[in-house]
Amino acid sequence: MTTTRPSVDTPEVPSSFRYFANRGSERSQQLMSVFGRFVSGPLALPDEVATELGRDRARADPLSDAFISAAFDGGYARNARGLVDQALDHGIATVPEAPPELVALFGHLDTEPAWLDWDRVERGAAVFRRYAVDAFYYFGLISLEGYRFEMIYKPLVLTGSYTGGTAFGRYLETCRFWIDTSEPGALRQGGAGRKTAVTIRVMHSMIRRRVGGHREWDAERLGAPLSQNAQFGTILTSFLLNEHTKLIGYWPSNDEILDHMHFWRYIGYLMGVEPAFYPETVEDWWRLSYLMLTADDPSDGPDSRMLAQSFVAAFGPSDENSKADRARKAAEQRTVRDWTRFFLTEETFTAGELAVPPAWRRLLPLRGLLPNLRDELGRRFVPGYADRLDQRKRTQRAAWLEQHTAGRPARFSPVEKLAR
């Protein structure tokens, strides 16, 4: 069974959505050959579903965007974050003279969608926790596939996010988001994950407002900055995480994968991401993967290469580090390079002009194969193992983030001035 959102608007499909034109391409045929093995019947989604997903590229987040527009027009933009924090911490009723746009936003946030199943959310969060720091590395490197497409890289370049010296700080903030949202009960009312997701939602509206008016943003071609389609692509990487990490010993069942994606669906809801179509079967996730990976023509160039190289460089040591820290960071950067070479497509690795690790290191991510298989067998067959494993993985990722941030809190704030 699948879920399709009824259309309430029918914007033009931005011209950058090239799915229909690309279905006969060599890349399309390669993807069809690979993904078709996981699907019974046609790999292509119905054309009307594909068209609506294309329209999602022109759709943004009406509720959050309306609040931010009202805040700028009404002269209280600097207080917008505080109003949201007050409503998150104590309820919308406690915000004095709350703007109607904020009331409407929290009317959405405080309404549980009909499809929401809290047991599945919690089970899905537990699946995500099991990947621990491996998920952080994977999500970071798989982003490089998206950096080849203008609708993804342009907002990052214009805001200066994930470039140069800002790359690692922004990456660590995203790691904090992943931890906050996936702790037990984190997405409930008052939970840290719910607050983080909504804070980022409002931040995205601020970025959308700034980038959308920039001379380099072509809305007719690219749609809306941080559109429904662009953000849904990020959720899709969570499905690919489940599938890709099977190569290094993880063993999620199809039911666990679907619970994991239900968890991400609710995070998306809190962040204003409600795509025209949301798969509810593993086969339809493969169909969506084919569509999304066929929908764009690469736009490789200096900006995309800078983002790719900035990600890898961000893990490296600096002159300010101690000798021990330099050694630790150099080792972690080598690990990231190994993972990048192992998981990225050859085409993306080459387009990013990334440094090629020695041949003997290219299979080093497989070092996790036996330990991960041991854990997978243990949690299935040994009483109490799953709970102990969950606590161990939560401790690992919290310690990793603490080591890299030294306890500094994440700011989750948009840039005040565009980089160019």
Side-chain angles (χ1 to χ4, degrees):
M1 189 172 77
T2 59
T3 299
T4 303
R5 173 175 53 77
S7 296
V8 295
D9 59 347
T10 54
E12 292 293 323
V13 176
S15 60
S16 62
F17 185 77
R18 300 277 297 162
Y19 169 70
F20 293 108
N22 288 344
R23 283 194 296 191
S25 68
E26 181 180 352
R27 174 178 171 79
S28 171
Q29 297 305 309
Q30 290 172 345
L31 290 171
M32 189 167 286
S33 174
V34 175
F35 293 173
R37 292 178 295 173
F38 304 104
V39 173
S40 58
L43 181 60
L45 289 167
D47 285 358
E48 59 270 22
V49 173
T51 298
E52 284 303 313
L53 287 168
R55 289 193 175 111
D56 272 355
R57 193 164 291 199
R59 295 173 176 133
D61 180 356
L63 289 172
S64 181
D65 292 353
F67 167 61
I68 291 303
S69 292
F72 275 91
D73 294 343
Y76 57 90
R78 291 190 176 276
N79 298 328
R81 173 77 175 267
L83 296 175
V84 171
D85 287 345
Q86 174 70 21
L88 284 168
D89 292 338
H90 305 290
I92 186 63
T94 69
V95 179
E97 299 181 358
E101 295 83 5
L102 184 64
V103 173
L105 174 60
F106 273 82
H108 173 267
L109 292 168
D110 294 340
T111 300
E112 294 186 354
W115 49 260
L116 178 63
D117 181 330
W118 279 109
D119 289 339
R120 293 189 68 192
V121 168
E122 294 299 338
R123 291 197 302 266
V127 173
F128 182 67
R129 292 196 296 271
R130 205 154 64 230
Y131 298 121
V133 179
D134 286 351
F136 300 169
Y137 289 153
Y138 179 82
F139 279 154
L141 72 89
I142 205 66
S143 297
L144 274 60
E145 297 283 356
Y147 292 167
R148 301 184 65 201
F149 307 120
E150 191 175 4
M151 78 161 179
I152 302 297
Y153 74 66
K154 185 68 75 175
L156 298 175
V157 170
L158 292 180
T159 59
S161 300
Y162 288 87
T163 62
T166 69
F168 202 56
R170 289 290 186 179
Y171 172 72
L172 293 177
E173 285 191 346
T174 308
C175 293
R176 167 54 63 191
F177 160 75
W178 292 324
I179 290 178
D180 283 353
T181 53
S182 60
E183 285 292 289
L187 300 179
R188 297 275 189 174
Q189 288 279 352
R194 182 176 186 270
K195 182 170 183 176
T196 298
V198 175
T199 299
I200 293 176
R201 177 179 186 172
V202 173
M203 181 183 76
H204 282 174
S205 289
M206 294 181 178
I207 294 172
R208 200 176 288 117
R209 178 183 175 91
R210 292 184 183 279
V211 171
H214 194 278
R215 65 183 182 279
E216 291 189 33
W217 188 264
D218 183 347
E220 184 176 337
R221 181 164 52 85
L222 300 174
L226 301 175
S227 67
Q228 291 285 324
N229 190 241
Q231 294 189 79
F232 192 28
T234 302
I235 292 177
L236 174 64
T237 63
S238 299
F239 170 71
L240 298 176
L241 167 72
N242 293 300
E243 297 296 343
H244 254 147
T245 51
K246 290 176 180 178
L247 296 172
I248 55 173
Y250 290 97
W251 192 7
S253 67
N254 280 353
D255 285 343
E256 288 176 320
I257 290 172
L258 292 175
D259 285 343
H260 184 213
M261 300 315 298
H262 191 85
F263 158 72
W264 280 105
R265 185 179 185 184
Y266 188 55
I267 293 177
Y269 178 87
L270 293 174
M271 296 182 70
V273 184
E274 296 183 77
F277 168 81
Y278 201 91
E280 292 183 7
T281 68
V282 170
E283 286 198 353
D284 274 350
W285 276 107
W286 282 114
R287 291 184 175 100
L288 179 72
S289 300
Y290 166 71
L291 183 147
M292 296 288 271
L293 294 174
T294 311
D296 287 270
D297 293 330
S299 181
D300 301 314
D303 286 342
S304 59
R305 285 193 294 273
M306 175 181 61
L307 286 166
Q309 293 168 11
S310 290
F311 171 74
V312 177
F315 286 88
S318 67
D319 294 338
E320 291 76 29
N321 296 140
S322 66
K323 183 177 180 181
D325 282 344
R326 285 198 299 273
R328 175 181 59 80
K329 286 190 172 185
E332 184 170 37
Q333 187 179 52
R334 287 193 294 271
T335 297
V336 170
R337 285 186 175 133
D338 297 341
W339 273 58
T340 302
R341 188 67 185 88
F342 185 82
F343 284 107
L344 281 183
T345 62
E346 182 73 30
E347 183 182 2
T348 295
F349 193 88
T350 301
E353 297 181 3
L354 299 172
V356 180
W360 64 272
R361 295 192 61 94
R362 295 183 186 181
L363 296 180
L364 284 182
L366 293 174
R367 287 180 299 183
L369 183 63
L370 292 180
N372 290 334
L373 283 174
R374 176 203 63 203
D375 286 339
E376 291 292 326
L377 290 169
R379 72 181 181 85
R380 279 172 165 77
F381 301 115
V382 180
Y385 195 100
D387 290 338
R388 294 193 297 273
L389 176 64
D390 184 57
Q391 187 56 57
R392 170 158 55 90
K393 295 288 190 169
R394 290 169 65 191
T395 300
Q396 284 176 359
R397 64 183 194 166
W400 182 92
L401 187 62
E402 172 67 24
Q403 181 183 54
H404 287 81
T405 63
R408 294 186 303 276
R411 295 183 300 122
F412 297 119
S413 58
V415 295
E416 294 292 329
K417 184 179 179 181
L418 295 182
R420 68 187 191 204

